[in-house]
Amino acid sequence: MKSDDLTLGQESESWSLPAYWLRRGITRRGFLQFCTAMAAVLGLPPSFTGRIAQAVVSARRPVLVWLHFQDCTGDSESFLRATDPSATDIILDILSVDYHETLMAAAGRQAEKSLHDAIAAHQGKYLAVVEGAIPTKDNGIYCTVGGRTALGIAKEVCGGALATLAVGTCAAFGGLPAAHPNPTGAVGVQEAVPGIRLINLPGCPMNGVNLAAVVVHFLTFGALPATDQFRRPLFVHNDRIHEKCERRSHFEAQEFVTEWGDEGHWRGWCLYLMGCKGSETWMNCPTVRWNDGTNWPVRAGHGCIGCPQPYFWDRMTPFYTKLGRLKRTGAILPEEFPRKPQ
């Protein structure tokens, strides 16, 4: 899929951000390290660091509204813990976050007024972020905010947005709420609000660095990044976890963990026999990692459960049973993920 060209609203405020960041303790060196890291995550050569820095410095502040539905707030937590320098500080300073239930001081009717005012004043120019699945059964009554259904809110907010980012597997594909038998009729944003300009950033949780990189790409090139068949950014989901895993050499040597806590487990051997789904999962977990790039589940000793894949809860379980075969070529196609297991 080709990149989707967008134009930022010309009425947005222009900021001089570097001085502000200096007052927040983010040095020029730290800022350039952030820009270099963003170039690396996006798969761009180091020569793009200056262009990214210029785009971020001169960014016109697009309005962002962040919706919560059937979720655990894990994606917000993941994003808020992106550090050194804080991707949260930089991105939240670049964006005008007018509505986020977890972060905002307002509550109740005052909070809902903030959402209404933001989308009314910036129709067609704001960015929408959705966290959590959207129930559709019985007219969506199983998730309501301020007396309105998640389905109705999503249709209004995402339908009027410049672009929508579905963060986490629940928002992207329905996630755990959509697992069989799916009593609430939970779906991802794409099914609930078809036809919108959408980027899916699945994962349980999604990595906040990847969200920051999408925003930086948008500010630098005026376009959303190219995506795969599931509307996931290619810079995040172009490679299988198995190909970049630090335990890959042990797989090739046929050195496998066979029991939790055995010698192979302590020595960092391959977790394939323990149910690791990295051979069927496409994401940049081994290279970007979490907690300031410190670690990720497989390195910590737990197999991949395939959470960035559509309907993983039905297709990847039991989590601690090995896959029947290892795919070496090809991509997982949409038809391989039926709504209900056979």
Side-chain angles (χ1 to χ4, degrees), residues 7 59 63 67 69 79 90 102 108 142 153 157-158 162 183 195 202 222 244 270 302 310 318 323 342:
T7 302
V63 169
L67 307 176
F69 298 135
F79 179 58
I90 292 175
T102 307
Y142 299 104
I153 295 171
V157 175
C158 300
L162 176 63
K244 300 291 180 69
C270 179
H302 191 286
L323 294 165
Q342 300 300 319

Side-chain angles (χ1 to χ4, degrees), residues 112-176:
E112 296 312 300
K113 184 178 185 300
S114 297
L115 175 61
H116 177 271
D117 291 348
I119 64 176
H122 304 280
Q123 190 68 206
K125 298 177 182 178
Y126 62 87
L127 299 177
V129 173
V130 179
E131 181 174 359
I134 301 171
T136 59
K137 188 176 179 180
D138 298 329
N139 296 318
I141 196 64
Y142 299 104
C143 180
T144 62
V145 181
R148 301 177 59 200
T149 66
L151 182 60
I153 295 171
K155 287 181 176 178
E156 178 185 10
V157 175
C158 300
L162 176 63
T164 298
L165 309 179
V167 298
T169 302
C170 292
F173 307 123
L176 174 58

